[in-house]
């Protein structure tokens, strides 16, 4: 499946979750077996190129792609979670959203120091979420080898912000606008 064909499996929903946002919905890609397999294979190829030793996925859609990539490469998977979900003491980071704030948590014991971790999420917009996850992973002593996304919204500058923090970024598809 070509990337142009893959792109056609992403559903764009205008004005969700609020007016002016073009929501890039990957559930239509996930429900197509060929598109799902192609996305995972392509992300896994890129994670392998970055010599991943461990895959970290951001809740919730990063769990779907991240776990599949880990299985494809025979690697472990670590979840970067929303607050209050992990049953052990965590390290946490707060980050700003367009409206409001959010928080991510990680079990510091899940990542051996020095591990080359590849971070996976469905989409990068402003990059705030992936930068927060990078901060957490780095606090464990991990090396964030790359951040991989199914979709990049380049007009929002997230990929650029990650690169400015020395995180290589790769995405399968790009969509203009926000
Ligand atoms: P950001 O922190 O701004 O890079 O936002 C990335 C997170 O928000 C990802 O986990 C995405 O799932 C979600 N997200 C942000 N903007 C969109 C959008 N236009 N369509 C779908 N998901 C989005």
């Amino acid at each position: 499946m070509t990337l142009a064909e893959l792109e056609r499996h992403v559903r764009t929903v205008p004005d969700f979750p609020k007016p002016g946002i073009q929501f890039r919905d990957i559930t239509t890609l996930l429900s197509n077996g060929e598109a799902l397999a192609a996305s995972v294979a392509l992300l896994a190829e890129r994670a392998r190129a970055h010599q991943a030793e461990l895959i970290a996925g951001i809740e919730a859609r990063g769990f779907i792609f991240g776990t599949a990539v880990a299985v494809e490469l025979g690697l472990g998977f670590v979840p970067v979670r929303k607050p209050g979900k992990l049953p052990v003491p965590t390290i946490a980071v707060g980050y700003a959203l367009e409206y409001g704030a959010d928080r991510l948590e990680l079990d510091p014991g899940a990542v051996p120091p020095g591990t080359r971790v590849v971070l996976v999420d469905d989409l990068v917009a402003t990059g705030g979420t992936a930068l927060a996850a990078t901060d957490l992973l780095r606090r464990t002593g991990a090396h964030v080898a790359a951040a991989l996304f199914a979709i990049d919204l380049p007009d929002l500058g997230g990929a650029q912000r990650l690169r400015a923090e020395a995180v290589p970024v790769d995405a399968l598809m790009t969509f203009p606008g926000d």
Side-chain angles (χ1 to χ4, degrees):
M1 180 175 287
T2 65
L3 288 172
E5 285 166 336
L6 201 58
E7 246 174 60
R8 288 198 280 276
H9 287 282
V10 177
R11 174 167 58 189
T12 297
V13 182
D15 300 321
F16 182 87
K18 42 186 170 269
I21 303 284
Q22 302 255 81
F23 191 82
R24 306 297 180 174
D25 179 19
I26 56 146
T27 60
T28 39
L29 181 154
L30 297 176
S31 65
N32 180 280
E34 223 187 307
L36 176 59
S39 308
V40 170
L42 288 165
L43 288 168
E45 200 175 278
R46 293 171 194 210
R48 186 186 285 115
H50 288 286
Q51 294 157 324
E53 295 173 329
L54 189 66
I55 305 296
I58 304 174
E59 189 165 353
R61 281 164 281 172
F63 290 179
I64 300 166
F65 289 117
T67 309
V69 166
V71 171
E72 183 113 342
L73 298 180
L75 298 175
F77 173 82
V78 172
V80 180
R81 297 223 61 176
K82 296 280 169 65
K85 304 285 187 187
L86 288 165
V88 292
T90 59
I91 53 173
V93 62
Y95 62 101
L97 293 172
E98 199 179 350
Y99 300 101
D102 213 339
R103 196 174 160 83
L104 290 174
E105 294 183 355
L106 177 69
D107 169 7
V111 186
T115 306
R116 289 181 68 85
V117 179
V118 166
L119 185 63
V120 175
D121 203 0
D122 66 325
L123 179 147
V124 59
T126 67
T129 310
L131 278 166
T134 296
D135 179 33
L136 282 180
L137 289 163
R138 285 180 171 165
R139 278 157 57 189
T140 71
H143 174 68
V144 181
L148 303 182
F149 304 93
I151 297 169
D152 178 19
L153 305 184
D155 295 346
L156 293 178
Q160 238 171 323
R161 284 178 72 202
L162 282 158
R163 290 187 185 113
E165 294 296 327
V167 180
V169 178
D170 219 332
L172 304 183
M173 297 168 267
T174 57
F175 288 90
D178 53 3

